[in-house]
Amino acid sequence: MKFRPCIDIHNGHVKQIVGSSLDDQNGSAVENFVASQDASYFAEIYQKYGLKGGHIILLNKAGSPYYEETKKQAFAALAAYPHGMQIGGGICDTNAQEYLDAGASHVIVTSYVFHDGRINFENLEKINRITGKEQLVLDLSCRKRNGQYYIVTDRWQKDTEFALNYKNLDILAGYCDEFLIHAVDVEGKMEGIETELVKMLGGWGEIPITYAGGVRSTQDIDLLRQEGRGKLDVTIGSALSLYGGPMPFEETVKYINHQ
């Protein structure tokens, strides 16, 4: 297990929000934390500590009023820590190369591939031809429905009919280097991890998976390590002291990375 940092950008500011509360129409969200520093500040911290493989997420939709400010912050973070972080949020075949050229180690894709409730293999192959398997991360953030986990898209506002199971993980692993998986119903709420999802993911482990959602204490980290069989990396947002939370940044990183 490794700690994977995150920088979420909304309306031109680094924030921690309750992801499921995001409203594209008016740019609002339930906010846990709004930083006074810009995105490059956090990228420089992660670089200082040698923390690679984290993700920068643009939370504004392309064409919305704050999108350009959010994109500017994202590019500043990439410039501050070149090739140290991944980037996601509105990535498609026409802009992926722009972000890679700007210093992203990988691009993270969701809605371009999962569209109208199902997976679009044509788009998956398009983006794969640009990035190669080595620079592509698929965001398989999910919500439980009728006893099974299904991928959700469009800043977690739209459910798909694409189930998160071992068969589908095997198929998708042929196209990408890693998976990023938010447990949507607990993300940003600091109420504990989604244990059932963690256990399922820990039973697979063919390529790296970063889990996000609900971590609030070292006890949650221990549970994640145990139920995920040590195979899952973890990102922590709202609970981390950098973002106003109770978990001290440096101590938490050491606890995760040196166990």
Side-chain angles (χ1 to χ4, degrees):
M1 176 188 283
K2 296 192 296 291
F3 175 77
R4 302 286 198 107
C6 64
I7 302 173
D8 295 343
I9 308 170
H10 180 241
N11 293 359
H13 297 280
V14 174
K15 295 184 182 181
Q16 285 295 312
I17 69 170
V18 177
S20 58
S21 71
L22 192 61
D23 187 337
D24 277 339
Q25 294 296 323
N26 57 26
S28 66
V30 175
E31 298 173 343
N32 292 331
F33 175 82
V34 181
S36 57
Q37 305 91 345
D38 63 14
S40 63
Y41 168 85
F42 295 95
E44 287 167 359
I45 291 175
Y46 298 142
Q47 184 182 46
K48 175 184 175 182
Y49 283 86
L51 299 170
K52 289 193 171 185
H55 52 278
I56 301 164
I57 302 295
L58 291 77
L59 292 174
N60 292 96
K61 191 173 183 178
S64 63
Y66 292 98
Y67 175 73
E68 291 303 324
E69 292 176 47
T70 291
K71 186 176 179 181
K72 181 180 178 181
Q73 285 291 312
F75 273 94
L78 292 175
Y81 191 6
H83 311 295
M85 298 194 76
Q86 307 166 0
I87 193 160
I91 306 293
C92 62
D93 63 325
T94 60
N95 64 12
Q97 192 62 54
E98 178 185 13
Y99 287 108
L100 293 173
D101 291 343
S105 66
H106 300 66
V107 293
I108 305 167
V109 177
T110 314
S111 302
Y112 179 67
V113 168
F114 298 96
H115 192 65
D116 291 332
R118 57 183 63 85
I119 187 167
N120 185 323
F121 279 102
E122 182 180 350
N123 282 356
L124 179 56
E125 288 166 1
K126 278 183 184 179
I127 195 88
N128 179 268
R129 283 196 292 270
I130 293 165
T131 64
K133 175 180 167 68
E134 298 77 15
Q135 290 186 291
L136 181 62
V137 175
L138 290 179
D139 183 336
L140 307 184
S141 296
C142 59
R143 172 180 286 121
K144 193 173 183 181
R145 192 173 81 243
N146 300 325
Q148 190 166 6
Y149 287 96
Y150 290 89
I151 293 169
V152 294
T153 68
D154 297 278
R155 285 153 298 283
W156 309 338
Q157 305 300 310
K158 292 184 180 179
D159 291 348
T160 76
E161 297 305 317
F162 194 86
L164 194 65
N165 54 40
Y166 292 160
K167 177 183 176 182
N168 286 335
L169 288 173
D170 286 341
I171 292 170
L172 296 177
Y175 292 91
C176 65
D177 197 38
E178 301 182 6
F179 296 134
L180 171 63
I181 302 180
H182 292 79
V184 170
D185 285 336
V186 299
E187 196 278 334
K189 298 180 180 178
M190 292 182 284
E191 296 176 350
I193 66 170
E194 187 117 13
T195 309
E196 185 180 345
L197 174 62
V198 166
K199 188 178 294 187
M200 186 271 284
L201 295 173
W204 186 72
E206 298 300 317
I207 65 172
I209 296 175
T210 298
Y211 168 86
V215 175
R216 61 192 168 177
S217 65
T218 53
Q219 288 77 20
D220 285 324
I221 292 169
D222 292 339
L223 183 61
L224 179 63
R225 192 189 311 275
Q226 176 185 328
E227 298 296 341
R229 304 183 189 184
K231 296 179 180 178
L232 307 181
D233 293 339
V234 61
T235 190
I236 304 171
S238 297
L240 205 62
S241 62
L242 279 181
Y243 299 123
M247 298 180 72
F249 168 68
E250 188 170 349
E251 289 85 345
T252 299
V253 171
K254 287 180 179 178
Y255 189 84
I256 295 169
N257 288 349
H258 299 294
Q259 285 280 310

